[in-house]
């Protein structure tokens, strides 16, 4: 058994920070993130997840604006601040950032631990006007082995693709951290769960993984965001949140990451990942027939 697997047997407090970044106000956004990270750590959290593009805000008017708010990873102002906090507080942070690599921009999530930068995920499935500013992610779906366990991350619209969850589960992820900026879905009735939450609940269950989704709130340049951050058990049921639709807050859950692995065997006949039939799926999907 590896060190990560041994550590993953221990209880772990996870926190999702629901906040309202303001586009263009990087210093204010970083100060707000620092305050929330410190509060979460003081409450015992060892894994803290922040929203998508938490440092820059989301609704850019031009690519030039996005470029001005971007920075390199891991040697930029934002990752250096979060890295310092992770080190001094002894925690792991997963957070959304506007990343610049040479002339390319990416909607990214960084994972940073007590010993420094761990890795980056770049959003694969771009939503709406994001395609005007960002390149599609080119790092695949990495799973990082950390002192806490095996952590993967992806961002917002990625959740609408079942393959993303499955790829991470097959690579051994115990928890999927989702920095996100979810927007309203047409047709949703008052009092019903957010569609995004239903999606991550189903995916957590069908892959036997924990999911920690940190959403933002507020309205930015006319675009509303829905909040309702949630932490979901490998069973598919929420164990932290959902948070409110419009308040800045932190939600928590106490989990044991090893449970996700152990419970993939559902009974003496069924294992949710072993029972896959890629031989059949490949026949059906080798020549996709999609009518636009």
């Amino acid at each position: 058994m590896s060190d990560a697997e041994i550590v993953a047997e221990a209880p772990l407090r996870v926190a999702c920070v629901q906040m309202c970044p303001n586009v263009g106000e990087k210093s204010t956004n970083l100060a707000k993130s620092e305050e929330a990270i410190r509060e979460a750590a003081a409450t015992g959290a060892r894994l803290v997840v922040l929203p998508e593009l938490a440092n820059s805000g989301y609704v850019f008017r031009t690519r030039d604006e996005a470029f001005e708010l971007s920075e390199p990873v891991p040697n930029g102002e934002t990752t250096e601040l979060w890295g310092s906090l992770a080190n001094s507080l002894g925690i792991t942070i997963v957070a959304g950032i506007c990343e610049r690599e040479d002339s390319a921009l990416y909607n990214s999530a960084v994972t940073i631990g007590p010993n420094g930068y761990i890795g980056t995920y770049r959003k694969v499935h771009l939503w709406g006007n994001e395609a005007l500013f960002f390149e599609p992610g080119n790092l695949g779906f990495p799973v990082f082995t950390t002192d806490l366990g095996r952590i993967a991350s992806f961002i917002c619209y990625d959740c609408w693709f079942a393959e993303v969850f499955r790829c991470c589960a097959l690579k051994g992820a115990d928890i999927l951290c989702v920095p996100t900026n979810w927007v309203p879905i047409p047709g949703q009735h008052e009092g019903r769960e957010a569609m995004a939450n239903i999606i991550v609940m189903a995916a957590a269950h069908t892959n036997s993984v924990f999911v920690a989704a940190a959403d933002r709130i507020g309205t930015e340049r006319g675009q509303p965001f829905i909040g309702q951050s949630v932490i979901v058990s490998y069973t598919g049921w929420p164990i932290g949140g959902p948070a409110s639709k419009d308040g800045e807050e932190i939600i928590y859950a106490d989990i044991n990451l090893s449970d996700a692995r152990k419970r993939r065997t559902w009974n003496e006949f069924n294992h949710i990942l072993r029972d896959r039939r890629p031989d059949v799926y490949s026949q059906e999907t080798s020549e996709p027939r999609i009518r636009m």
Side-chain angles (χ1 to χ4, degrees), residues 67-263:
F67 196 86
E68 285 296 316
L69 293 168
S70 67
E71 58 189 74
V73 171
N75 299 315
E77 171 191 6
T78 298
T79 45
E80 288 181 353
L81 170 65
W82 290 340
S84 175
L85 290 169
N87 177 262
S88 64
L89 298 171
I91 63 173
T92 297
I93 298 169
V94 180
I97 186 171
C98 186
E99 180 191 4
R100 178 175 73 249
E101 184 181 61
D102 299 324
S103 61
L105 298 182
Y106 297 96
N107 184 342
S108 297
V110 293
T111 301
I112 306 169
N115 296 319
Y117 168 77
I118 296 172
T120 299
Y121 167 74
R122 291 171 174 168
K123 190 174 184 179
V124 169
H125 304 96
L126 300 179
W127 172 260
N129 286 355
E130 288 177 38
L132 300 176
F133 312 119
F134 298 114
E135 301 296 325
N138 57 2
L139 300 178
F141 302 106
V143 175
F144 303 117
T145 300
T146 75
D147 290 342
L148 302 179
R150 296 190 287 256
I151 297 174
S153 64
F154 44 87
I155 300 171
C156 200
Y157 184 44
D158 288 325
C159 291
W160 269 253
F161 298 85
E163 297 88 344
V164 177
F165 290 92
R166 186 52 49 90
C167 285
C168 293
L170 289 171
K171 290 181 178 181
D174 302 310
I175 186 167
L176 309 180
C177 299
V178 188
T180 186
N181 286 348
W182 284 325
V183 299
I185 298 296
Q188 181 169 341
H189 299 293
E190 187 67 29
R192 291 295 305 271
E193 302 93 339
M195 178 59 70
N197 287 11
I198 295 172
I199 288 171
V200 299
M201 288 164 60
H205 172 66
T206 56
N207 291 283
S208 190
V209 291
F210 290 96
V211 178
D215 196 13
R216 66 161 290 168
I217 59 164
T219 298
E220 188 172 83
R221 292 177 174 169
Q223 174 62 64
F225 300 94
I226 66 170
Q228 301 173 74
S229 301
V230 67
I231 303 170
V232 183
S233 169
Y234 62 90
T235 63
W237 300 112
I239 51 176
S244 67
K245 298 178 181 179
D246 54 9
E248 291 191 308
E249 58 187 284
I250 305 173
I251 61 170
Y252 299 92
D254 294 310
I255 66 176
N256 191 319
L257 287 184
S258 65
D259 288 344
R261 259 171 275 158
K262 293 175 181 177
R263 303 303 191 271

